[in-house]
Amino acid sequence: MKHKKRDRGGTVSIRWKVFISFLIFAALLLALLWFLQTVYLYRFYKQVRKGELKSAVSRLVAGSGEEEYEQIVEAVARGSDLSVLVFDGEGQSLYRAESTPARIRYAAEFRFWYERAKENGGEYRKEIRIEDSPPMQGGPERHLVQSVMDRPRQRMEEIVAWVKIVSVSGEERVYILEAVLTPVDATVHTLQIQLLCVSAVMVVLSFGMAWLLARGISMPVIRVNQSAKELAKANYRVVFDSGGYKEIAELSATLNYAASELGKTERFQRELLANVSHDLRTPLTMIIACGEMMRDLPGENTTENLQVIIDEANRLSLLVNDMLDLSRLYAGVLTLSKTEFCLTDSINQTVERLARLLKVQGYQIVFQYKEEVAVCADQEKLCQVIYNLIGNAVNYTGEEKKVTVRQLYSAGRVRIEVLDTGEGIAKEELPYIWERYY
């Protein structure tokens, strides 16, 4: 069965909806990646370099009292790609390690940096832009603060200088660290070319993944839908595939249960027809038999036979009412009409009515009991059960044509047995006796 992208109602199939949603998600990821790599790359890079600079200052201050401090300074400079200069309070150079030559003449301009750090509580940080042209006149401060907007547009290089004044063994020690923020224009261009290649690959992969994902999600739903159509055609043997997802598995289990219950309902309907045929046959047979006897045999036109006809006609009326009760039973609204009555008398009346009719055919029905027993039950339904059991026993009692009904009472419980003299049920068929009309 082919599934179109849109049906007549204009709704989109789940396969196409998942496919399009996944593609939109992939496109948003690519757009976000492009935006971050081109617009915010430089800002992100600058924050990372500042973080490395701050960490380096903390490492230098923490290791200032160690003997092999020169190796520590060189390791910090080389590991973080920094220029590290350490002075005493008078501007004398103590340690120096540079991964690249420092852009600022810190030794010549020591007082400037020292005073700025003092004014800011012993720590000073400055971001500086330097062009390729010769240094300007007017002192370090003018050189540091001059804006790039006041100069001709030339290639600029940005650095970050960090000055930290600490006391080591009672003496001032001045740490000056310089980090170069390498121009990222070339890096951005390289990343853009790389992103073009990555984007092309991601687009192809996105289409493939979107198709596989949409197919994987939609196929179990499609199979369940196809099975549901079979169920709608009254095919109650259909099996719903659970698929590979928890929700689909739960839905399939529910539909399998619904199919099973619908199958039971159909069987109940067939059994209802069988019940009606079975229950109506015996009273009709008795009415016809009594009527024929009264017609053919002048001596049988008695009050007893008329009473049998009346009783069986009443029974037919009760059976018709029971059909309505069955519909209420399946709807769950039928309740038992319990009353206290003499069970022994009810059984005796049923036996006498059947014995009178079947006596002509040579059948003998015997009711055995020791005492009368009263019970609290639904009298009509209980008598119907006994009536059916005796009728079945008559049909299978064999050549002896004898049926025995026993009432056994013990410890507040009563047991009714209906016995015939037939061959009985074969042992291999006993497991199936509770299958109705087996």
Side-chain angles (χ1 to χ4, degrees):
M1 179 181 293
K2 295 183 178 179
H3 291 266
K4 298 181 179 179
K5 183 177 179 181
R6 283 184 178 269
D7 60 13
R8 295 180 180 177
T11 58
V12 182
S13 67
I14 184 172
R15 176 182 296 181
W16 284 103
K17 183 169 289 187
V18 173
F19 179 75
I20 295 172
S21 299
F22 187 85
L23 288 184
I24 293 175
F25 177 72
L28 290 176
L29 285 181
L30 282 175
L32 179 62
L33 184 61
W34 271 85
F35 183 74
L36 293 177
Q37 292 295 325
T38 56
V39 177
Y40 283 99
L41 177 63
Y42 184 69
R43 296 182 184 179
F44 183 73
Y45 171 73
K46 184 185 289 187
Q47 292 298 323
V48 171
R49 290 295 286 164
K50 289 179 180 179
E52 293 176 348
L53 193 62
K54 184 176 181 181
S55 177
V57 171
S58 300
R59 289 174 59 191
L60 291 172
V61 172
S64 59
E66 299 184 11
E67 296 181 357
E68 298 180 353
Y69 190 64
E70 185 175 356
Q71 287 81 356
I72 296 176
V73 173
E74 292 179 356
V76 170
R78 185 171 55 254
S80 300
D81 194 18
L82 304 173
S83 295
V84 180
L85 297 91
V86 184
F87 301 90
D88 60 14
E90 301 299 326
Q92 296 297 320
S93 179
L94 301 177
Y95 303 97
R96 187 183 187 94
E98 297 174 309
S99 60
T100 58
R103 275 41 171 193
I104 306 297
R105 301 187 301 267
Y106 297 102
E109 301 171 356
F110 175 77
R111 277 296 135 192
F112 170 82
W113 297 100
Y114 180 81
E115 291 174 2
R116 293 295 184 276
K118 280 290 188 181
E119 293 173 359
N120 289 276
E123 187 172 358
Y124 180 66
R125 186 182 66 185
K126 184 67 178 179
E127 298 180 13
I128 309 165
R129 290 187 176 185
I130 303 175
E131 64 183 29
D132 287 343
S133 59
M136 298 183 62
Q137 302 298 322
E141 185 174 4
R142 180 179 178 183
H143 172 73
L144 295 175
V145 300
Q146 185 168 358
S147 171
V148 70
M149 299 299 296
D150 299 334
R151 308 179 187 180
R153 294 190 61 83
Q154 302 182 29
R155 190 175 69 85
M156 306 297 293
E157 187 178 57
E158 189 171 359
I159 65 172
V160 178
W162 195 310
V163 183
K164 180 85 172 178
I165 302 175
V166 298
S167 177
V168 179
S169 300
E171 297 180 357
E172 282 188 336
R173 186 169 292 183
V174 183
Y175 298 90
I176 301 178
L177 285 77
E178 180 186 273
V180 178
L181 302 180
T182 305
V184 294
D185 294 341
T187 304
V188 171
H189 182 67
T190 302
L191 288 175
Q192 288 176 343
I193 296 176
Q194 188 181 37
L195 278 175
L196 283 174
C197 299
V198 172
S199 299
V201 175
M202 287 190 63
V203 168
V204 175
L205 292 178
S206 296
F207 270 94
M209 289 296 296
W211 177 256
L212 292 176
L213 183 62
R215 177 181 173 84
I217 294 176
S218 63
M219 285 307 297
V221 179
I222 292 173
R223 288 195 296 267
V224 170
N225 182 49
Q226 292 173 343
S227 299
K229 291 179 179 179
E230 292 297 320
L231 179 62
K233 297 177 182 178
N235 180 12
Y236 302 123
R237 296 182 180 180
V238 65
V239 177
F240 290 87
D241 187 9
S242 61
Y245 303 97
K246 179 181 178 181
E247 291 77 7
I248 299 297
E250 292 177 350
L251 175 61
S252 299
T254 302
L255 291 175
N256 283 326
Y257 176 75
S260 175
E261 292 301 311
L262 288 173
K264 291 180 181 179
T265 301
E266 187 182 38
R267 290 195 300 273
F268 287 155
Q269 292 176 350
R270 292 196 298 265
E271 290 174 1
L272 177 61
L273 294 176
N275 283 334
V276 171
S277 300
H278 183 269
D279 290 339
L280 294 180
R281 187 180 297 114
T282 302
L284 287 173
T285 301
M286 295 184 67
I287 291 175
I288 294 172
C290 288
E292 290 178 347
M293 285 192 302
M294 294 172 65
R295 181 194 64 189
D296 298 335
L297 302 175
E300 294 296 330
N301 191 5
T302 62
T303 304
E304 291 80 3
N305 287 335
L306 288 174
Q307 187 61 44
V308 170
I309 293 176
I310 294 173
D311 292 341
E312 295 303 318
N314 290 332
R315 177 168 174 73
L316 285 174
S317 178
L318 292 175
L319 290 175
V320 172
N321 292 331
D322 283 346
M323 292 175 61
L324 300 177
D325 292 340
L326 281 175
S327 63
R328 291 196 295 268
L329 176 64
Y330 292 141
V333 296
L334 180 64
T335 58
L336 294 176
S337 178
K338 293 184 178 182
T339 57
E340 187 172 346
F341 65 96
C342 182
L343 177 62
T344 307
D345 289 343
S346 295
I347 297 175
N348 197 28
Q349 293 174 7
T350 303
V351 169
E352 288 181 356
R353 186 165 63 249
L354 288 171
R356 187 180 305 113
L357 173 64
L358 299 173
K359 183 178 181 180
V360 178
Q361 302 177 21
Y363 289 95
Q364 181 183 7
I365 303 177
V366 180
F367 181 36
Q368 299 176 352
Y369 64 96
K370 294 182 179 180
E371 56 185 318
E372 294 186 349
V373 178
V375 296
C376 181
D378 192 315
Q379 183 175 4
E380 293 181 2
K381 294 180 177 59
L382 190 57
C383 290
Q384 180 180 347
V385 172
I386 298 173
Y387 193 95
N388 289 337
L389 289 175
I390 297 175
N392 288 334
V394 169
N395 293 330
Y396 295 98
T397 190
E399 295 182 357
E400 191 173 342
K401 295 185 177 183
K402 181 178 181 180
V403 175
T404 303
V405 182
R406 293 177 182 172
Q407 175 186 282
L408 306 177
Y409 180 76
S410 176
R413 299 174 66 88
V414 60
R415 175 187 178 95
I416 306 300
E417 297 179 349
V418 179
L419 301 89
D420 60 65
T421 57
E423 296 180 359
I425 302 174
K427 292 184 178 180
E428 59 270 16
E429 295 185 355
L430 285 176
Y432 306 104
I433 62 174
W434 299 114
E435 295 288 339
R436 306 189 77 176
Y437 303 107
Y438 174 79

PDB file of all heavy atoms in Angstrom, residues 110 120 122 146 178 204 216-217 254 306 317 330 352 370-371 378 411 438:
ATOM      1  N   PHE A 110      58.350  50.920  32.666  1.00  0.00           N
ATOM      2  CA  PHE A 110      57.975  50.199  33.881  1.00  0.00           C
ATOM      3  C   PHE A 110      57.151  51.073  34.817  1.00  0.00           C
ATOM      4  O   PHE A 110      56.168  50.616  35.390  1.00  0.00           O
ATOM      5  CB  PHE A 110      59.249  49.709  34.593  1.00  0.00           C
ATOM      6  CG  PHE A 110      58.971  49.052  35.905  1.00  0.00           C
ATOM      7  CD1 PHE A 110      58.473  47.754  35.964  1.00  0.00           C
ATOM      8  CD2 PHE A 110      59.160  49.741  37.103  1.00  0.00           C
ATOM      9  CE1 PHE A 110      58.200  47.162  37.177  1.00  0.00           C
ATOM     10  CE2 PHE A 110      58.881  49.146  38.323  1.00  0.00           C
ATOM     11  CZ  PHE A 110      58.402  47.847  38.352  1.00  0.00           C
ATOM     12  N   ASN A 120      45.137  50.679  40.999  1.00  0.00           N
ATOM     13  CA  ASN A 120      44.019  49.736  40.900  1.00  0.00           C
ATOM     14  C   ASN A 120      44.140  48.588  41.898  1.00  0.00           C
ATOM     15  O   ASN A 120      43.673  47.474  41.629  1.00  0.00           O
ATOM     16  CB  ASN A 120      43.929  49.183  39.482  1.00  0.00           C
ATOM     17  CG  ASN A 120      43.442  50.207  38.481  1.00  0.00           C
ATOM     18  OD1 ASN A 120      42.255  50.432  38.313  1.00  0.00           O
ATOM     19  ND2 ASN A 120      44.398  50.851  37.825  1.00  0.00           N
ATOM     20  N   GLY A 122      46.884  46.963  43.015  1.00  0.00           N
ATOM     21  CA  GLY A 122      47.929  45.984  42.771  1.00  0.00           C
ATOM     22  C   GLY A 122      47.700  45.118  41.547  1.00  0.00           C
ATOM     23  O   GLY A 122      48.480  44.180  41.311  1.00  0.00           O
ATOM     24  N   GLN A 146      45.264  55.581  22.171  1.00  0.00           N
ATOM     25  CA  GLN A 146      44.841  56.145  20.894  1.00  0.00           C
ATOM     26  C   GLN A 146      43.928  55.174  20.165  1.00  0.00           C
ATOM     27  O   GLN A 146      44.229  53.987  20.039  1.00  0.00           O
ATOM     28  CB  GLN A 146      46.054  56.466  20.020  1.00  0.00           C
ATOM     29  CG  GLN A 146      45.647  57.176  18.729  1.00  0.00           C
ATOM     30  CD  GLN A 146      46.852  57.760  18.012  1.00  0.00           C
ATOM     31  OE1 GLN A 146      47.960  57.647  18.512  1.00  0.00           O
ATOM     32  NE2 GLN A 146      46.605  58.382  16.885  1.00  0.00           N
ATOM     33  N   GLU A 178      51.934  39.290  28.808  1.00  0.00           N
ATOM     34  CA  GLU A 178      51.382  39.820  27.555  1.00  0.00           C
ATOM     35  C   GLU A 178      50.910  38.655  26.696  1.00  0.00           C
ATOM     36  O   GLU A 178      51.661  37.701  26.452  1.00  0.00           O
ATOM     37  CB  GLU A 178      52.435  40.617  26.801  1.00  0.00           C
ATOM     38  CG  GLU A 178      51.919  41.196  25.485  1.00  0.00           C
ATOM     39  CD  GLU A 178      53.027  41.860  24.684  1.00  0.00           C
ATOM     40  OE1 GLU A 178      53.274  43.043  24.932  1.00  0.00           O
ATOM     41  OE2 GLU A 178      53.636  41.163  23.838  1.00  0.00           O
ATOM     42  N   VAL A 204      23.706  15.962   3.057  1.00  0.00           N
ATOM     43  CA  VAL A 204      23.499  14.623   2.514  1.00  0.00           C
ATOM     44  C   VAL A 204      23.156  13.640   3.637  1.00  0.00           C
ATOM     45  O   VAL A 204      22.206  12.847   3.531  1.00  0.00           O
ATOM     46  CB  VAL A 204      24.749  14.163   1.746  1.00  0.00           C
ATOM     47  CG1 VAL A 204      24.580  12.708   1.285  1.00  0.00           C
ATOM     48  CG2 VAL A 204      25.012  15.075   0.557  1.00  0.00           C
ATOM     49  N   GLY A 216      11.582   4.517  10.052  1.00  0.00           N
ATOM     50  CA  GLY A 216      11.565   3.693  11.256  1.00  0.00           C
ATOM     51  C   GLY A 216      10.405   4.015  12.177  1.00  0.00           C
ATOM     52  O   GLY A 216       9.852   3.133  12.832  1.00  0.00           O
ATOM     53  N   ILE A 217      10.020   5.302  12.235  1.00  0.00           N
ATOM     54  CA  ILE A 217       8.911   5.697  13.110  1.00  0.00           C
ATOM     55  C   ILE A 217       7.564   5.410  12.458  1.00  0.00           C
ATOM     56  O   ILE A 217       6.612   4.978  13.114  1.00  0.00           O
ATOM     57  CB  ILE A 217       9.032   7.187  13.478  1.00  0.00           C
ATOM     58  CG1 ILE A 217      10.279   7.418  14.349  1.00  0.00           C
ATOM     59  CG2 ILE A 217       7.791   7.689  14.196  1.00  0.00           C
ATOM     60  CD1 ILE A 217      10.530   8.862  14.692  1.00  0.00           C
ATOM     61  N   THR A 254      -3.010  -3.182  23.228  1.00  0.00           N
ATOM     62  CA  THR A 254      -4.400  -2.774  23.452  1.00  0.00           C
ATOM     63  C   THR A 254      -5.298  -3.224  22.301  1.00  0.00           C
ATOM     64  O   THR A 254      -6.405  -3.737  22.522  1.00  0.00           O
ATOM     65  CB  THR A 254      -4.479  -1.252  23.615  1.00  0.00           C
ATOM     66  OG1 THR A 254      -3.652  -0.842  24.709  1.00  0.00           O
ATOM     67  CG2 THR A 254      -5.902  -0.809  23.888  1.00  0.00           C
ATOM     68  N   LEU A 306     -53.318 -30.582  29.208  1.00  0.00           N
ATOM     69  CA  LEU A 306     -53.547 -29.155  28.970  1.00  0.00           C
ATOM     70  C   LEU A 306     -52.638 -28.300  29.850  1.00  0.00           C
ATOM     71  O   LEU A 306     -52.118 -27.258  29.419  1.00  0.00           O
ATOM     72  CB  LEU A 306     -55.016 -28.805  29.212  1.00  0.00           C
ATOM     73  CG  LEU A 306     -56.021 -29.314  28.173  1.00  0.00           C
ATOM     74  CD1 LEU A 306     -57.450 -29.011  28.642  1.00  0.00           C
ATOM     75  CD2 LEU A 306     -55.750 -28.649  26.827  1.00  0.00           C
ATOM     76  N   SER A 317     -42.488 -18.150  27.127  1.00  0.00           N
ATOM     77  CA  SER A 317     -42.549 -16.723  27.435  1.00  0.00           C
ATOM     78  C   SER A 317     -41.366 -16.294  28.303  1.00  0.00           C
ATOM     79  O   SER A 317     -40.771 -15.228  28.090  1.00  0.00           O
ATOM     80  CB  SER A 317     -43.870 -16.395  28.132  1.00  0.00           C
ATOM     81  OG  SER A 317     -43.914 -15.022  28.484  1.00  0.00           O
ATOM     82  N   TYR A 330     -24.900  -8.986  28.926  1.00  0.00           N
ATOM     83  CA  TYR A 330     -23.704  -8.596  28.193  1.00  0.00           C
ATOM     84  C   TYR A 330     -23.408  -7.112  28.371  1.00  0.00           C
ATOM     85  O   TYR A 330     -22.256  -6.680  28.278  1.00  0.00           O
ATOM     86  CB  TYR A 330     -23.867  -8.918  26.712  1.00  0.00           C
ATOM     87  CG  TYR A 330     -23.901 -10.395  26.425  1.00  0.00           C
ATOM     88  CD1 TYR A 330     -24.764 -10.924  25.476  1.00  0.00           C
ATOM     89  CD2 TYR A 330     -23.077 -11.280  27.112  1.00  0.00           C
ATOM     90  CE1 TYR A 330     -24.802 -12.283  25.208  1.00  0.00           C
ATOM     91  CE2 TYR A 330     -23.106 -12.633  26.865  1.00  0.00           C
ATOM     92  CZ  TYR A 330     -23.975 -13.138  25.904  1.00  0.00           C
ATOM     93  OH  TYR A 330     -24.013 -14.475  25.647  1.00  0.00           O
ATOM     94  N   GLU A 352     -41.504 -34.087  37.237  1.00  0.00           N
ATOM     95  CA  GLU A 352     -42.837 -34.612  36.952  1.00  0.00           C
ATOM     96  C   GLU A 352     -43.322 -34.158  35.577  1.00  0.00           C
ATOM     97  O   GLU A 352     -43.936 -34.936  34.839  1.00  0.00           O
ATOM     98  CB  GLU A 352     -43.815 -34.156  38.032  1.00  0.00           C
ATOM     99  CG  GLU A 352     -43.604 -34.845  39.378  1.00  0.00           C
ATOM    100  CD  GLU A 352     -44.600 -34.382  40.420  1.00  0.00           C
ATOM    101  OE1 GLU A 352     -45.396 -33.460  40.091  1.00  0.00           O
ATOM    102  OE2 GLU A 352     -44.586 -34.915  41.549  1.00  0.00           O
ATOM    103  N   LYS A 370     -33.588 -36.922  50.378  1.00  0.00           N
ATOM    104  CA  LYS A 370     -33.922 -37.346  51.739  1.00  0.00           C
ATOM    105  C   LYS A 370     -34.738 -36.316  52.488  1.00  0.00           C
ATOM    106  O   LYS A 370     -35.503 -36.654  53.387  1.00  0.00           O
ATOM    107  CB  LYS A 370     -32.643 -37.641  52.516  1.00  0.00           C
ATOM    108  CG  LYS A 370     -31.868 -38.846  51.983  1.00  0.00           C
ATOM    109  CD  LYS A 370     -30.629 -39.096  52.835  1.00  0.00           C
ATOM    110  CE  LYS A 370     -29.865 -40.318  52.332  1.00  0.00           C
ATOM    111  NZ  LYS A 370     -28.645 -40.593  53.154  1.00  0.00           N
ATOM    112  N   GLU A 371     -34.539 -35.053  52.155  1.00  0.00           N
ATOM    113  CA  GLU A 371     -35.251 -33.992  52.877  1.00  0.00           C
ATOM    114  C   GLU A 371     -35.427 -32.806  51.940  1.00  0.00           C
ATOM    115  O   GLU A 371     -34.704 -32.643  50.954  1.00  0.00           O
ATOM    116  CB  GLU A 371     -34.455 -33.572  54.127  1.00  0.00           C
ATOM    117  CG  GLU A 371     -33.034 -33.133  53.824  1.00  0.00           C
ATOM    118  CD  GLU A 371     -32.243 -32.837  55.085  1.00  0.00           C
ATOM    119  OE1 GLU A 371     -32.830 -32.221  55.987  1.00  0.00           O
ATOM    120  OE2 GLU A 371     -31.066 -33.206  55.152  1.00  0.00           O
ATOM    121  N   ASP A 378     -31.801 -17.304  42.375  1.00  0.00           N
ATOM    122  CA  ASP A 378     -32.718 -16.888  41.319  1.00  0.00           C
ATOM    123  C   ASP A 378     -33.435 -18.147  40.833  1.00  0.00           C
ATOM    124  O   ASP A 378     -32.851 -18.978  40.135  1.00  0.00           O
ATOM    125  CB  ASP A 378     -31.938 -16.235  40.167  1.00  0.00           C
ATOM    126  CG  ASP A 378     -32.856 -15.539  39.186  1.00  0.00           C
ATOM    127  OD1 ASP A 378     -33.882 -16.140  38.819  1.00  0.00           O
ATOM    128  OD2 ASP A 378     -32.545 -14.404  38.780  1.00  0.00           O
ATOM    129  N   ALA A 411     -23.807 -30.241  55.521  1.00  0.00           N
ATOM    130  CA  ALA A 411     -23.088 -29.091  56.093  1.00  0.00           C
ATOM    131  C   ALA A 411     -23.517 -27.769  55.467  1.00  0.00           C
ATOM    132  O   ALA A 411     -22.681 -26.909  55.153  1.00  0.00           O
ATOM    133  CB  ALA A 411     -21.575 -29.292  55.941  1.00  0.00           C
ATOM    134  N   TYR A 438     -19.788 -28.506  22.529  1.00  0.00           N
ATOM    135  CA  TYR A 438     -18.766 -29.349  21.918  1.00  0.00           C
ATOM    136  C   TYR A 438     -19.355 -30.711  21.585  1.00  0.00           C
ATOM    137  O   TYR A 438     -19.065 -31.273  20.540  1.00  0.00           O
ATOM    138  CB  TYR A 438     -17.568 -29.491  22.859  1.00  0.00           C
ATOM    139  CG  TYR A 438     -16.532 -30.458  22.356  1.00  0.00           C
ATOM    140  CD1 TYR A 438     -15.636 -30.071  21.367  1.00  0.00           C
ATOM    141  CD2 TYR A 438     -16.456 -31.748  22.864  1.00  0.00           C
ATOM    142  CE1 TYR A 438     -14.686 -30.960  20.898  1.00  0.00           C
ATOM    143  CE2 TYR A 438     -15.522 -32.647  22.397  1.00  0.00           C
ATOM    144  CZ  TYR A 438     -14.630 -32.255  21.412  1.00  0.00           C
ATOM    145  OH  TYR A 438     -13.704 -33.125  20.960  1.00  0.00           O
TER     146      TYR A 438
END
